[in-house]
Coordinates of all heavy atoms in Angstrom, one line a residue:
M1 N 0.9 -1.2 0.0 CA 0.0 0.0 0.0 C 0.9 1.2 0.0 O 1.8 1.4 0.8 CB -0.9 0.0 1.2 CG -1.8 1.2 1.3 SD -2.9 1.0 2.8 CE -2.9 2.7 3.4
A2 N 0.7 2.1 -1.0 CA 1.5 3.3 -1.1 C 1.1 4.3 0.0 O -0.1 4.5 0.3 CB 1.3 4.0 -2.5
K3 N 2.1 5.0 0.5 CA 1.8 6.0 1.5 C 1.3 7.3 0.9 O 1.8 7.7 -0.1 CB 3.1 6.3 2.3 CG 2.8 6.9 3.7 CD 4.1 7.3 4.4 CE 3.7 8.1 5.6 NZ 4.9 8.8 6.2
V4 N 0.3 7.8 1.5 CA -0.3 9.1 0.9 C 0.3 10.3 1.6 O 0.3 10.3 2.8 CB -1.8 9.1 1.1 CG1 -2.5 10.3 0.5 CG2 -2.4 7.8 0.6
G5 N 0.8 11.2 0.8 CA 1.4 12.4 1.4 C 0.3 13.3 1.8 O -0.9 13.2 1.3
R6 N 0.5 14.1 2.8 CA -0.5 15.0 3.4 C -1.0 16.0 2.4 O -2.1 16.5 2.5 CB 0.0 15.7 4.6 CG 0.4 14.7 5.7 CD 0.8 15.5 7.0 NE -0.4 16.1 7.6 CZ -0.5 17.4 7.9 NH1 0.6 18.1 7.8 NH2 -1.6 17.9 8.4
N7 N -0.1 16.4 1.4 CA -0.5 17.4 0.4 C -1.0 16.7 -0.9 O -1.3 17.4 -1.9 CB 0.6 18.3 0.1 CG 0.8 19.3 1.3 OD1 -0.1 19.9 1.8 ND2 2.1 19.3 1.8
D8 N -1.0 15.4 -1.0 CA -1.5 14.6 -2.1 C -3.0 14.6 -2.1 O -3.6 14.8 -1.1 CB -1.0 13.2 -2.1 CG 0.5 13.1 -2.4 OD1 1.1 14.2 -2.8 OD2 1.1 12.1 -2.1
L9 N -3.6 14.3 -3.3 CA -5.1 14.2 -3.3 C -5.5 13.0 -2.5 O -4.8 11.9 -2.5 CB -5.5 14.0 -4.8 CG -5.5 15.2 -5.6 CD1 -5.9 14.9 -7.1 CD2 -6.4 16.3 -5.1
C10 N -6.6 13.1 -1.8 CA -7.0 12.1 -0.9 C -7.4 10.8 -1.8 O -8.1 11.0 -2.8 CB -8.2 12.5 -0.1 SG -8.7 11.3 1.1
P11 N -7.0 9.7 -1.3 CA -7.3 8.4 -2.1 C -8.8 8.1 -2.1 O -9.3 7.3 -2.8 CB -6.6 7.4 -1.3 CG -6.3 7.9 0.0 CD -6.2 9.4 -0.1
C12 N -9.6 8.8 -1.3 CA -11.1 8.5 -1.3 C -11.8 9.1 -2.5 O -12.9 8.9 -2.7 CB -11.7 9.0 0.0 SG -12.0 10.8 0.0
G13 N -11.1 10.0 -3.3 CA -11.6 10.5 -4.5 C -12.4 11.8 -4.3 O -13.2 12.2 -5.1
S14 N -12.3 12.4 -3.1 CA -13.1 13.6 -2.9 C -12.5 14.8 -3.6 O -13.2 15.9 -3.8 CB -13.1 13.9 -1.4 OG -11.8 14.3 -1.0
G15 N -11.3 14.7 -4.1 CA -10.6 15.8 -4.8 C -10.0 16.8 -3.9 O -9.3 17.8 -4.3
R16 N -10.1 16.6 -2.6 CA -9.4 17.4 -1.6 C -8.1 16.8 -1.2 O -7.8 15.6 -1.5 CB -10.3 17.6 -0.4 CG -11.5 18.5 -0.6 CD -12.3 18.7 0.7 NE -13.0 17.5 1.1 CZ -13.7 17.5 2.3 NH1 -13.7 18.5 3.1 NH2 -14.3 16.4 2.6
K17 N -7.2 17.7 -0.6 CA -6.0 17.1 -0.2 C -6.2 16.2 1.0 O -7.1 16.4 1.8 CB -5.0 18.3 0.2 CG -4.5 19.0 -1.0 CD -3.6 20.1 -0.6 CE -3.1 20.8 -1.9 NZ -2.2 22.0 -1.6
Y18 N -5.3 15.2 1.1 CA -5.5 14.2 2.2 C -5.5 14.8 3.5 O -6.3 14.5 4.4 CB -4.3 13.2 2.1 CG -4.3 12.1 3.1 CD1 -5.4 11.3 3.2 CD2 -3.3 12.0 4.0 CE1 -5.5 10.3 4.1 CE2 -3.3 11.0 4.9 CZ -4.4 10.1 5.0 OH -4.4 9.1 5.9
K19 N -4.6 15.9 3.8 CA -4.6 16.5 5.1 C -5.9 17.2 5.4 O -6.2 17.4 6.6 CB -3.4 17.4 5.2 CG -3.5 18.7 4.3 CD -2.3 19.6 4.5 CE -2.4 20.8 3.6 NZ -1.2 21.7 3.8
K20 N -6.6 17.6 4.4 CA -7.9 18.3 4.6 C -9.1 17.4 4.6 O -10.2 17.8 4.8 CB -8.1 19.4 3.5 CG -7.1 20.5 3.5 CD -7.6 21.6 4.4 CE -6.6 22.8 4.3 NZ -6.8 23.8 5.3
C21 N -8.8 16.1 4.3 CA -9.9 15.2 4.1 C -9.8 14.0 5.1 O -10.1 14.2 6.3 CB -9.9 14.7 2.7 SG -11.3 13.6 2.3
C22 N -9.3 12.9 4.7 CA -9.4 11.7 5.5 C -8.3 11.5 6.5 O -8.4 10.5 7.3 CB -9.5 10.5 4.6 SG -11.1 10.4 3.6
E23 N -7.3 12.4 6.5 CA -6.2 12.2 7.4 C -6.7 12.2 8.9 O -6.4 11.3 9.7 CB -5.1 13.2 7.2 CG -3.9 12.9 8.1 CD -3.0 14.1 8.2 OE1 -3.4 15.2 8.2 OE2 -1.7 13.8 8.2
S24 N -7.6 13.1 9.2 CA -8.1 13.2 10.5 C -8.9 12.0 10.9 O -8.9 11.5 12.0 CB -8.9 14.5 10.7 OG -10.0 14.5 9.8
K25 N -9.7 11.5 9.8 CA -10.5 10.3 10.1 C -9.6 9.1 10.3 O -9.9 8.3 11.2 CB -11.4 10.0 8.8 CG -12.7 10.8 8.8 CD -13.6 10.3 7.8 CE -13.7 11.2 6.6 NZ -14.4 10.6 5.4
D26 N -8.6 9.0 9.5 CA -7.7 7.9 9.7 C -7.0 7.9 11.0 O -6.9 7.0 11.7 CB -6.6 7.9 8.6 CG -7.1 7.5 7.2 OD1 -8.3 7.1 7.2 OD2 -6.4 7.7 6.2
R27 N -6.6 9.2 11.4 CA -6.0 9.3 12.7 C -7.0 9.0 13.8 O -6.7 8.3 14.8 CB -5.6 10.8 12.9 CG -4.2 11.1 12.4 CD -3.7 12.3 13.1 NE -2.6 12.9 12.3 CZ -2.3 14.2 12.4 NH1 -3.1 15.0 13.1 NH2 -1.3 14.7 11.8
G28 N -8.3 9.4 13.6 CA -9.3 9.2 14.6 C -9.4 7.7 14.8 O -9.5 7.2 16.0
G29 N -9.5 6.9 13.7 CA -9.6 5.5 13.8 C -8.4 4.9 14.6 O -8.6 4.0 15.4
T30 N -7.3 5.4 14.3 CA -6.1 4.9 15.0 C -6.2 5.2 16.5 O -6.0 4.3 17.3 CB -4.8 5.5 14.4 OG1 -4.8 5.4 13.0 CG2 -3.6 4.9 15.1
V31 N -6.6 6.4 16.8 CA -6.8 6.7 18.2 C -7.8 5.9 18.9 O -7.6 5.3 20.0 CB -7.1 8.2 18.4 CG1 -7.5 8.5 19.8 CG2 -5.9 9.1 18.0
Q32 N -8.9 5.6 18.1 CA -10.0 4.8 18.7 C -9.4 3.4 19.0 O -9.7 2.8 20.0 CB -11.2 4.7 17.7 CG -12.2 5.8 18.0 CD -13.4 5.6 17.1 OE1 -13.4 4.8 16.2 NE2 -14.5 6.3 17.4
N33 N -8.7 2.9 18.0 CA -8.1 1.5 18.2 C -7.2 1.5 19.4 O -7.3 0.6 20.2 CB -7.3 1.1 16.9 CG -8.2 0.8 15.8 OD1 -9.4 0.5 16.0 ND2 -7.7 0.8 14.6
W34 N -6.4 2.5 19.5 CA -5.5 2.5 20.7 C -6.3 2.7 22.0 O -5.9 2.1 23.0 CB -4.5 3.6 20.6 CG -3.3 3.2 19.7 CD1 -3.0 3.7 18.5 CD2 -2.3 2.3 20.0 NE1 -1.9 3.0 18.0 CE2 -1.4 2.2 18.9 CE3 -2.1 1.5 21.1 CZ2 -0.4 1.3 18.9 CZ3 -1.0 0.6 21.1 CH2 -0.2 0.5 20.0
T35 N -7.4 3.4 21.9 CA -8.2 3.6 23.1 C -8.8 2.2 23.5 O -8.8 1.8 24.6 CB -9.3 4.6 22.9 OG1 -8.8 5.8 22.4 CG2 -10.1 4.8 24.1
M36 N -9.3 1.5 22.5 CA -9.8 0.2 22.7 C -8.8 -0.8 23.3 O -9.0 -1.5 24.3 CB -10.4 -0.5 21.4 CG -11.7 0.1 21.0 SD -13.0 -0.3 22.3 CE -13.1 -2.1 22.1
I37 N -7.6 -0.7 22.7 CA -6.5 -1.6 23.2 C -6.2 -1.2 24.6 O -6.0 -2.1 25.5 CB -5.3 -1.4 22.3 CG1 -5.5 -2.1 20.9 CG2 -4.0 -2.0 23.0 CD1 -4.5 -1.7 19.9
A38 N -6.2 0.1 24.9 CA -5.8 0.6 26.3 C -6.9 0.1 27.2 O -6.7 -0.4 28.3 CB -5.7 2.1 26.3
L39 N -8.2 0.2 26.8 CA -9.3 -0.2 27.7 C -9.3 -1.7 27.9 O -9.4 -2.1 29.1 CB -10.7 0.2 27.0 CG -11.1 1.6 27.1 CD1 -12.3 1.9 26.3 CD2 -11.4 2.0 28.6
V40 N -9.1 -2.5 26.9 CA -9.1 -3.9 27.0 C -7.9 -4.3 27.9 O -8.0 -5.1 28.8 CB -9.1 -4.6 25.7 CG1 -8.8 -6.1 25.8 CG2 -10.4 -4.4 24.9
G41 N -6.7 -3.7 27.5 CA -5.5 -4.0 28.3 C -5.7 -3.6 29.8 O -5.3 -4.4 30.7
G42 N -6.3 -2.4 30.0 CA -6.5 -2.0 31.4 C -7.4 -3.0 32.1 O -7.2 -3.3 33.3
A43 N -8.5 -3.4 31.4 CA -9.4 -4.3 32.0 C -8.8 -5.6 32.4 O -9.0 -6.2 33.5 CB -10.6 -4.6 31.1
V44 N -7.9 -6.1 31.4 CA -7.2 -7.4 31.7 C -6.3 -7.2 32.9 O -6.2 -8.1 33.8 CB -6.5 -7.8 30.4 CG1 -5.5 -9.0 30.8 CG2 -7.4 -8.2 29.3
L45 N -5.6 -6.1 32.9 CA -4.6 -5.8 34.0 C -5.4 -5.7 35.3 O -5.0 -6.3 36.3 CB -3.9 -4.5 33.7 CG -2.5 -4.6 33.0 CD1 -2.0 -3.3 32.8 CD2 -1.6 -5.4 33.9
A46 N -6.5 -5.0 35.3 CA -7.3 -4.9 36.5 C -7.8 -6.2 37.0 O -7.7 -6.5 38.2 CB -8.5 -3.9 36.3
A47 N -8.2 -7.1 36.0 CA -8.7 -8.4 36.4 C -7.6 -9.2 37.0 O -7.7 -9.9 38.0 CB -9.3 -9.1 35.2
L48 N -6.4 -9.1 36.4 CA -5.2 -9.8 36.9 C -4.9 -9.3 38.3 O -4.7 -10.2 39.2 CB -4.0 -9.6 36.0 CG -3.9 -10.5 34.8 CD1 -2.8 -10.0 33.8 CD2 -3.6 -11.9 35.3
V49 N -4.8 -8.0 38.5 CA -4.5 -7.5 39.8 C -5.5 -7.9 40.8 O -5.2 -8.3 41.9 CB -4.4 -5.9 39.7 CG1 -4.3 -5.3 41.1 CG2 -3.2 -5.5 38.9
A50 N -6.8 -7.8 40.4 CA -7.9 -8.2 41.4 C -7.8 -9.7 41.7 O -7.9 -10.1 42.8 CB -9.3 -8.0 40.7
G51 N -7.5 -10.5 40.7 CA -7.3 -11.9 40.9 C -6.1 -12.2 41.8 O -6.3 -13.0 42.8
I52 N -5.0 -11.5 41.6 CA -3.9 -11.7 42.5 C -4.2 -11.3 43.9 O -3.9 -11.9 44.9 CB -2.7 -11.0 41.9 CG1 -2.2 -11.6 40.6 CG2 -1.5 -10.9 43.0 CD1 -1.3 -10.7 39.8
A53 N -4.9 -10.1 44.0 CA -5.2 -9.6 45.3 C -6.2 -10.5 46.1 O -5.9 -10.8 47.2 CB -5.9 -8.2 45.2
S54 N -7.2 -11.0 45.4 CA -8.1 -11.9 46.0 C -7.5 -13.2 46.4 O -7.7 -13.8 47.4 CB -9.4 -12.2 45.2 OG -9.0 -13.0 44.1
F55 N -6.5 -13.7 45.5 CA -5.8 -14.9 45.8 C -5.0 -14.8 47.1 O -5.1 -15.6 48.0 CB -5.0 -15.3 44.6 CG -4.2 -16.6 44.8 CD1 -4.9 -17.8 44.8 CD2 -2.8 -16.6 44.8 CE1 -4.2 -18.9 45.0 CE2 -2.2 -17.8 45.0 CZ -2.9 -18.9 45.1
S56 N -4.2 -13.7 47.1 CA -3.3 -13.5 48.3 C -4.2 -13.2 49.5 O -3.9 -13.7 50.6 CB -2.3 -12.4 48.0 OG -3.0 -11.3 47.6
G57 N -5.3 -12.5 49.3 CA -6.1 -12.1 50.4 C -6.8 -13.4 51.0 O -6.9 -13.5 52.2
E58 N -7.2 -14.3 50.1 CA -7.8 -15.5 50.5 C -6.8 -16.4 51.3 O -7.1 -16.9 52.4 CB -8.3 -16.3 49.3 CG -9.3 -17.4 49.6 CD -9.7 -18.1 48.4 OE1 -9.9 -17.5 47.3 OE2 -9.9 -19.3 48.5
R59 N -5.6 -16.4 50.8 CA -4.5 -17.1 51.6 C -4.3 -16.5 52.9 O -4.1 -17.2 53.9 CB -3.2 -17.1 50.8 CG -3.3 -18.1 49.6 CD -2.0 -18.0 48.8 NE -0.9 -18.5 49.6 CZ 0.4 -18.4 49.1 NH1 0.6 -17.9 48.0 NH2 1.4 -18.9 49.9
A60 N -4.4 -15.2 53.0 CA -4.1 -14.5 54.3 C -5.2 -14.7 55.2 O -5.0 -14.9 56.4 CB -3.8 -13.0 54.0
S61 N -6.5 -14.7 54.7 CA -7.6 -14.7 55.6 C -8.1 -16.2 55.9 O -8.9 -16.4 56.7 CB -8.8 -13.9 55.0 OG -9.2 -14.5 53.8
S62 N -7.5 -17.1 55.1 CA -7.9 -18.5 55.3 C -6.6 -19.4 55.6 O -6.2 -20.1 54.8 CB -8.6 -19.1 54.1 OG -9.7 -18.3 53.8
P63 N -6.1 -19.2 56.8 CA -5.0 -20.0 57.2 C -5.4 -21.5 57.3 O -6.6 -21.8 57.3 CB -4.5 -19.4 58.5 CG -5.7 -18.8 59.1 CD -6.6 -18.4 57.9
T64 N -4.4 -22.4 57.5 CA -4.8 -23.8 57.6 C -5.6 -24.0 58.9 O -6.4 -24.9 58.9 CB -3.5 -24.6 57.6 OG1 -2.6 -24.0 58.6 CG2 -2.9 -24.7 56.3
R65 N -5.4 -23.2 59.9 CA -6.2 -23.3 61.1 C -7.1 -22.1 61.3 O -6.6 -21.0 61.1 CB -5.3 -23.4 62.3 CG -4.4 -24.7 62.3 CD -3.9 -25.1 63.7 NE -3.2 -23.9 64.3 CZ -2.8 -23.9 65.5 NH1 -3.1 -24.9 66.4 NH2 -2.2 -22.9 66.0
V66 N -8.4 -22.3 61.5 CA -9.3 -21.3 61.7 C -9.9 -21.3 63.1 O -10.3 -22.4 63.6 CB -10.5 -21.4 60.7 CG1 -11.4 -20.2 60.9 CG2 -9.9 -21.4 59.3
W67 N -9.8 -20.2 63.9 CA -10.2 -20.2 65.2 C -11.8 -20.2 65.3 O -12.4 -19.4 64.5 CB -9.7 -19.0 66.0 CG -10.2 -18.9 67.4 CD1 -11.1 -18.0 67.8 CD2 -9.9 -19.7 68.5 NE1 -11.4 -18.2 69.1 CE2 -10.6 -19.3 69.6 CE3 -9.0 -20.8 68.6 CZ2 -10.5 -19.8 70.8 CZ3 -8.9 -21.4 69.9 CH2 -9.7 -20.9 71.0
S68 N -12.4 -21.0 66.1 CA -13.8 -21.0 66.3 C -14.1 -20.6 67.7 O -13.8 -21.4 68.6 CB -14.4 -22.4 66.0 OG -15.8 -22.4 66.4
S69 N -14.6 -19.4 67.8 CA -14.9 -18.9 69.2 C -16.1 -19.6 69.7 O -16.2 -19.8 71.0 CB -15.2 -17.4 69.2 OG -16.2 -17.1 68.2
E70 N -16.9 -20.2 68.9 CA -18.1 -20.9 69.3 C -17.7 -22.2 70.0 O -18.2 -22.6 71.0 CB -18.9 -21.3 68.0 CG -20.4 -21.1 68.2 CD -21.2 -21.4 66.9 OE1 -20.9 -20.8 65.9 OE2 -22.0 -22.4 66.9
H71 N -16.7 -22.9 69.4 CA -16.2 -24.2 69.9 C -15.1 -24.0 70.9 O -14.8 -24.9 71.7 CB -15.8 -25.1 68.8 CG -16.9 -25.5 67.8 ND1 -16.8 -26.4 66.8 CD2 -18.2 -25.1 67.8 CE1 -17.9 -26.6 66.2 NE2 -18.8 -25.8 66.7
G72 N -14.4 -22.9 70.8 CA -13.3 -22.7 71.7 C -12.0 -23.4 71.3 O -11.2 -23.8 72.1
H73 N -11.9 -23.8 70.0 CA -10.7 -24.5 69.5 C -10.6 -24.1 68.0 O -11.4 -23.5 67.4 CB -10.8 -26.0 69.8 CG -12.0 -26.6 69.2 ND1 -12.8 -27.5 69.9 CD2 -12.6 -26.6 68.0 CE1 -13.8 -27.9 69.2 NE2 -13.7 -27.3 68.0
Y74 N -9.4 -24.6 67.5 CA -9.1 -24.3 66.1 C -9.8 -25.4 65.2 O -9.9 -26.6 65.6 CB -7.6 -24.3 65.8 CG -7.0 -23.0 66.2 CD1 -6.3 -22.9 67.5 CD2 -7.0 -21.9 65.4 CE1 -5.7 -21.8 67.9 CE2 -6.4 -20.7 65.8 CZ -5.8 -20.7 67.0 OH -5.2 -19.5 67.4
H75 N -10.1 -25.1 64.0 CA -10.6 -26.0 63.0 C -9.5 -26.0 61.9 O -9.0 -24.9 61.6 CB -11.9 -25.7 62.4 CG -13.1 -25.9 63.4 ND1 -14.4 -25.6 63.0 CD2 -13.1 -26.4 64.6 CE1 -15.1 -25.8 64.1 NE2 -14.4 -26.4 65.0
D76 N -9.3 -27.1 61.2 CA -8.5 -27.1 60.0 C -9.4 -26.8 58.8 O -10.5 -26.5 58.9 CB -7.7 -28.4 59.8 CG -8.6 -29.6 59.5 OD1 -9.8 -29.4 59.2 OD2 -8.1 -30.7 59.5
A77 N -8.8 -26.8 57.6 CA -9.5 -26.4 56.4 C -10.7 -27.3 56.1 O -11.7 -26.8 55.5 CB -8.6 -26.6 55.2
N78 N -10.8 -28.5 56.7 CA -11.9 -29.4 56.5 C -13.0 -29.2 57.6 O -13.9 -29.9 57.7 CB -11.5 -30.8 56.4 CG -10.6 -31.0 55.2 OD1 -10.8 -30.6 54.1 ND2 -9.5 -31.8 55.4
G79 N -12.7 -28.3 58.5 CA -13.6 -28.1 59.6 C -13.5 -29.1 60.8 O -14.3 -29.2 61.6
V80 N -12.3 -29.8 60.8 CA -12.0 -30.8 61.8 C -11.3 -30.1 62.9 O -10.4 -29.2 62.7 CB -11.2 -31.9 61.2 CG1 -10.9 -33.0 62.3 CG2 -12.0 -32.6 60.0
Q81 N -11.6 -30.5 64.2 CA -11.0 -29.9 65.3 C -9.5 -30.1 65.3 O -9.0 -31.3 65.0 CB -11.6 -30.4 66.6 CG -10.9 -29.9 67.9 CD -11.5 -30.4 69.1 OE1 -12.5 -31.1 69.1 NE2 -10.8 -30.2 70.2
V82 N -8.7 -29.1 65.6 CA -7.3 -29.2 65.7 C -6.9 -29.0 67.1 O -7.3 -28.0 67.7 CB -6.6 -28.1 64.8 CG1 -5.1 -28.2 64.9 CG2 -7.0 -28.3 63.3
P83 N -6.2 -30.0 67.7 CA -5.8 -29.9 69.1 C -4.8 -28.7 69.4 O -4.1 -28.3 68.5 CB -5.1 -31.2 69.4 CG -4.7 -31.8 68.1 CD -5.6 -31.2 67.1
Ligands
ZN101 ZN1 -10.9 11.6 1.8
ZN102 ZN1 -15.3 -27.4 66.6

């Protein structure tokens, strides 16, 4: 695909110069694409960070032994009394 100069006639056939015609549209499309990529990338990153945070948070809040104030002793992950 040949590169269109900004002062060349626009390839869309409008008879106007490319810089006065479709250049801004082409740029807009590129910006939109980058915005989409940024949005999707940001969402994926946020999901990853949330997943890591919840994973480590789960590990921190769910130790192998869980204190039961009701029973007055520890339970393990299966709910069995730990001496
Ligand atoms: Zn054009
Ligand atoms: Zn118990």
Side-chain angles (χ1 to χ4, degrees):
M1 181 178 140
K3 199 186 171 191
V4 184
R6 297 187 68 230
N7 289 309
D8 292 345
L9 286 178
C10 187
C12 78
S14 66
R16 287 186 287 175
K17 288 181 178 178
Y18 179 59
K19 67 178 179 182
K20 295 272 184 190
C21 187
C22 292
E23 186 191 36
S24 57
K25 275 193 256 170
D26 289 349
R27 272 202 199 154
T30 305
V31 168
Q32 269 186 349
N33 286 343
W34 277 110
T35 305
M36 280 301 292
I37 289 165
L39 278 173
V40 171
V44 169
L45 265 177
L48 273 173
V49 169
I52 290 164
S54 69
F55 181 65
S56 55
E58 200 180 321
R59 283 178 67 186
S61 64
S62 302
T64 47
R65 294 200 306 168
V66 182
W67 176 254
S68 171
S69 55
E70 226 179 299
H71 294 185
H73 55 231
Y74 284 98
H75 289 176
D76 69 8
N78 299 315
V80 180
Q81 179 180 348
V82 179

